[in-house]
Amino acid sequence: MSADQSSPSLSGEQFVASLNEENRTALERLGRLSSAGKTPHELTVERLLRVALKNELEASEIAAIWMTTTSELDVKLAFARQCGDEAKHFRLIAQRLKTLRVDPDRIDPREGGYSALFEYLRQLQSTAARVAAGQLTREGIALVRNQCFIEFCEARGDHETAALYRDEIQPDEQHHHELGRRLLTRYAVAENEQQVARQAARHTLELAEEIQEMARLKAGISRAPGC
Ligand SMILES: [Fe+2]
Ligand SMILES: [Fe+2]
């Protein structure tokens, strides 16, 4: 880890620009991993939508946990909005599964436990770290993974699921990511806050890449959408 990028002379804006740049490189790699290799025939849109339910639930729940323990009013309300949006995504995906003749009431996305990313995010205490990891970075990851999923849906001829992601879910994820950028500019001003924010963003990307690699190796579900 280079200390030079966390120089105390960075303003909030400079810090966020540098973190975004660092994220961009990692996200490009994640995008390549997500769309790498052939997809097995048994990998279906339905199967990936089940994974999506889990991701949406976790994103909603993290935002809810953080909302109650964040004192900055604008950040608290940003988490509230995110919590509601991710729950809405859950509902839209459940409806789509129903149309695809999968009964969503028979799916409990908590089965198998919460992900390592969820466990990592939930214990973050610093507002700057939460915004950097949970909004700026995680939502950046979601944008990349959802785009891979949209392409997968189109390739399989499922234009409705592709449209749901492109027209309804992605604009919300983009908004969460932008909120993260704005709030981080405001709250990652002190050097120590910038350091914990950068570390949290890095670890979030590492966990996402690990999850991606495990998904590819174990079940061929690397096209799964984010949150
Ligand atoms: Fe989101
Ligand atoms: Fe979402």
Side-chain angles (χ1 to χ4, degrees):
M1 254 170 239
S2 53
D4 53 330
Q5 287 172 308
S6 314
S7 152
S9 58
L10 289 187
S11 68
E13 251 162 40
Q14 287 169 327
F15 170 72
V16 173
S18 107
L19 185 59
N20 247 339
E21 186 55 27
E22 186 179 330
N23 276 3
R24 198 174 56 80
T25 312
L27 288 173
E28 280 171 6
R29 192 170 56 240
L30 192 70
R32 282 197 300 276
L33 277 176
S34 303
S35 53
K38 285 199 175 122
T39 48
H41 187 66
E42 57 279 12
L43 184 68
T44 60
V45 169
E46 291 91 321
R47 189 151 163 230
L48 294 175
L49 287 176
R50 286 168 183 259
V51 180
L53 284 179
K54 189 186 188 74
N55 292 336
E56 299 293 354
L57 176 70
E58 289 195 356
S60 179
E61 195 162 335
I62 282 290
I65 293 168
W66 286 351
M67 188 202 168
T68 63
T69 52
T70 298
S71 55
E72 295 85 350
L73 187 60
D74 48 2
V75 184
K76 189 189 268 295
L77 288 167
F79 289 147
R81 157 138 193 200
Q82 191 182 353
C83 177
D85 286 345
E86 310 296 9
K88 181 184 78 182
H89 299 164
F90 187 100
R91 181 173 51 76
L92 291 171
I93 293 164
Q95 279 170 356
R96 182 66 195 138
L97 277 167
K98 221 172 197 168
T99 313
L100 295 169
R101 296 171 197 276
V102 178
D103 182 0
D105 294 338
R106 296 173 70 94
I107 302 170
D108 187 342
R110 295 166 296 183
E111 243 172 50
Y114 286 87
S115 70
L117 180 58
F118 179 90
E119 299 299 348
Y120 171 69
L121 292 175
R122 76 172 297 162
Q123 54 79 45
L124 290 176
Q125 300 299 323
S126 135
T127 294
R130 287 172 170 183
V131 170
Q135 294 196 309
L136 186 86
T137 303
R138 189 181 199 226
E139 298 298 314
I141 293 167
L143 285 167
V144 168
R145 295 182 61 188
N146 290 349
Q147 184 53 41
C148 292
F149 179 62
I150 290 168
E151 285 158 22
F152 172 80
C153 291
E154 297 283 13
R156 289 288 165 102
D158 186 343
H159 304 297
E160 272 182 61
T161 304
L164 168 65
Y165 267 81
R166 192 177 46 240
D167 303 335
E168 297 192 63
I169 295 180
Q170 285 290 66
D172 284 342
E173 312 304 15
Q174 183 70 45
H175 182 79
H176 302 155
H177 173 74
E178 291 299 328
L179 257 178
R181 205 167 53 83
R182 269 207 319 273
L183 293 169
L184 197 59
T185 304
R186 191 171 301 159
Y187 292 108
V189 177
E191 187 191 2
N192 62 331
E193 286 300 328
Q194 293 182 355
Q195 267 171 10
V196 295
R198 194 184 291 277
Q199 271 165 16
R202 279 181 185 159
H203 196 58
T204 299
L205 280 160
E206 282 163 12
L207 285 170
E209 207 167 298
E210 264 173 50
I211 290 166
Q212 192 65 38
E213 190 58 10
M214 266 162 32
R216 187 181 68 77
L217 292 173
K218 282 191 182 162
I221 54 172
S222 60
R223 278 2 177 239
C227 62

